[in-house]
Amino acid sequence: MAGLKFDERPILVFWESTKACLLACRHCRAEAMATPLPGQLSTDEATTFIDSLVTFGRPYPVLIFTGGDVMMRPDLFPLAEHAKSLGIPIGMAPSVTPRLTVDARQKMRDVGVKTVSISLDGASAVTHDRVRGILGHFDQTVSTLRDLVDDGFDVQVNTVVMAENVAELPTVAELLVGIGVKIWEVFFLIQVGRGRGSESVTELPPRSTEDVCHFLYDASKYGMVVRTVEAPFFRRVVMARKAAEEDAGDTNRDTANACSDLRKDATGIEDPSQSNAFSSNPPSSPHDTGALYRLLAEDLALRLGPARSPSRAQTSGTRDGKGIVFVSHDGTVYPAGFLVVPLGNIRETPLSTIYRENPLLQQIRSSAFSGRCGMCEYQDLCGGSRSRAYAHTGDALATDPACLYPA
């Protein structure tokens, strides 16, 4: 992503190819249903839309086929094959249903899909099945994840974190590491769509949100790429944690060298086995964490043991409308799937024109925020969730109420 100009082109174009889906998820942004809605882009219109992506220039944005359930579109694979023929990289986010067959997985490979995203919203059938609205769906999802890993896909698991499942995050991490999942993308609940006003799915308060971000940094040290959706303040947490670890490492090295010098002065013998005596000790926490973080971190350590690798936390400087854009089933363009502010329609205006010239997107990309987000030193790196700001205030440029920085 180095050198990409987000004012000119997005990295990711999410296309809600259909609202049709056989699941009944309680928090569904798309408010999906069993059959497509009238107005869904036709095959010809979808082909024209895919053609238009080349006007962004190279590198072309990645086209993510999402929904609803992508497998509910009968023309899915011809459209994906067309994108492949143009050199447009693609990913898919299918639902785990009987439509995700062995044949469908083979067709995904044939059209060049490398990364497949699957949702898992709990570490048990009780939690996941309740969220997804289908009994037995947890077991089906775990089995599908194993099949996709065996098929050679880079498997991404999407987990929506909310008050109802937050305590299960360490168990989810353990499960994903055991399966061989490569990417864990954690969505911080925005109550839009079917989740709006729902009493069964609840957003985390700011203190818990901060604690989960610190936990996810810990989880990124077990071989998985970890990233967040609608929690860009994760980048601030990652930056602070890495800086603290570097400072602690410098201090530990200085202390170890001093001890070695003293030992050599006293005995005339340098003991190389002690030169990194402090390097395996975790640095003292420089951050303000709460009880939830301590609970999650201790559970993670019990399940997976000491950290196995350097952090693989991903901190790209994208946000809703900056490097990301969303096209709905009927061609309406939004900054992101959770930021339901219509910007135009691809049936009338090319996506590249909407992305580059829409005033709201230009404000988002220039960090023209109000309140704390507008004054924050991390306003460009983070910028807060524009979706959450809009959901709570009706103003996409307002302060993200889930962030407690500066405390």
Side-chain angles (χ1 to χ4, degrees):
M1 287 183 291
L4 283 180
K5 296 179 179 180
F6 293 140
D7 285 341
E8 295 296 318
R9 63 174 61 84
I11 297 172
L12 300 173
V13 173
F14 290 91
W15 177 36
E16 179 191 60
S17 57
T18 183
K19 280 188 177 289
C21 184
L22 299 178
L23 302 181
C25 305
R26 294 175 183 241
H27 61 290
C28 181
R29 168 207 56 77
E31 300 182 85
M33 55 205 68
T35 56
L37 273 179
Q40 176 174 297
L41 294 181
S42 67
T43 300
D44 287 345
E45 288 172 323
T47 300
T48 300
F49 159 58
I50 292 170
D51 288 340
S52 75
L53 297 182
V54 302
T55 64
F56 281 112
R58 294 185 182 274
Y60 299 144
V62 179
L63 176 60
I64 307 296
F65 289 80
T66 182
D69 179 14
V70 294
M71 295 297 165
M72 298 287 280
R73 268 199 82 113
D75 57 359
L76 170 66
F77 291 110
L79 290 172
E81 182 64 46
H82 181 64
K84 178 185 176 183
S85 73
L86 297 173
I88 296 170
I90 59 176
M92 287 190 183
S95 299
V96 175
T97 75
R99 289 176 177 261
L100 189 54
T101 61
V102 173
D103 181 59
R105 300 200 311 265
Q106 179 61 52
K107 287 180 177 177
M108 286 194 291
R109 289 197 296 272
D110 291 343
V111 297
V113 173
K114 292 184 173 59
T115 302
V116 179
S117 304
I118 297 293
S119 294
L120 180 68
D121 291 320
S124 67
V126 171
T127 302
H128 177 85
D129 291 0
R130 180 176 58 80
V131 171
R132 292 284 153 182
I134 302 290
L135 289 176
H137 196 258
F138 174 80
D139 291 337
Q140 295 167 24
T141 299
V142 171
S143 177
T144 298
L145 290 173
R146 296 187 192 281
D147 288 340
L148 289 167
V149 169
D150 289 344
D151 286 344
F153 290 105
D154 290 343
V155 177
Q156 172 181 314
V157 165
N158 301 333
T159 300
V160 177
V161 60
M162 45 194 147
E164 291 74 16
N165 70 352
V166 65
E168 297 184 22
L169 291 178
T171 319
V172 173
E174 178 187 30
L175 177 62
L176 302 190
V177 169
I179 292 173
V181 167
K182 290 198 173 181
I183 305 165
W184 190 19
E185 188 156 284
V186 180
F187 289 63
F188 283 63
L189 179 68
I190 306 287
Q191 289 183 299
V192 297
R194 198 174 288 148
R196 188 185 299 111
S198 173
E199 295 181 357
S200 60
V201 289
T202 312
E203 291 183 33
L204 296 175
R207 172 73 274 168
S208 297
T209 296
E210 188 84 355
D211 280 0
V212 171
C213 286
H214 282 285
F215 160 78
L216 292 175
Y217 179 76
D218 293 350
S220 73
K221 295 183 175 184
Y222 292 90
M224 290 187 298
V225 171
V226 177
R227 56 193 185 211
T228 60
V229 175
E230 304 306 345
F233 30 78
F234 179 56
R235 301 162 194 166
R236 166 180 53 79
V237 168
V238 171
M239 179 180 288
R241 291 286 299 271
K242 286 186 174 180
E245 289 172 357
E246 290 172 2
D247 289 345
D250 290 342
T251 300
N252 291 342
R253 283 189 290 274
D254 290 344
T255 304
N257 289 337
C259 290
S260 178
D261 290 342
L262 288 171
R263 189 176 299 106
K264 186 175 182 180
D265 289 344
T267 64
I269 301 173
E270 183 173 1
D271 183 358
S273 69
Q274 297 298 315
S275 61
N276 292 312
F278 299 89
S279 62
S280 61
N281 295 336
S284 59
S285 295
H287 45 273
D288 175 27
T289 52
L292 177 61
Y293 167 72
R294 292 189 289 274
L295 175 70
L296 297 176
E298 289 171 6
D299 193 7
L300 183 72
L302 284 172
R303 293 177 179 281
L304 291 176
R308 304 174 187 176
S309 68
S311 170
R312 299 193 68 196
Q314 196 169 85
T315 57
S316 62
T318 59
R319 56 174 167 264
D320 303 343
K322 180 185 177 183
I324 293 169
V325 70
F326 181 91
V327 179
S328 73
H329 74 290
D330 64 358
T332 303
V333 179
Y334 300 95
F338 297 97
L339 181 46
V340 287
V341 179
L343 308 173
N345 193 292
I346 61 167
R347 284 173 163 146
E348 302 161 358
T349 309
L351 180 62
S352 56
T353 300
I354 295 173
Y355 180 82
R356 290 167 177 164
E357 298 181 8
N358 182 268
L360 176 60
L361 296 188
Q362 290 176 344
Q363 288 176 300
I364 287 173
R365 292 195 291 266
S366 64
S367 305
F369 310 130
S370 60
R372 286 187 295 115
C373 284
M375 298 182 290
C376 182
E377 62 195 285
Y378 297 103
Q379 65 177 347
D380 186 53
L381 175 71
C382 169
S385 166
R386 300 299 97 215
S387 296
R388 187 177 295 106
Y390 182 76
H392 281 258
T393 70
D395 179 2
L397 301 174
T399 292
D400 181 351
C403 181
L404 54 67
Y405 185 87

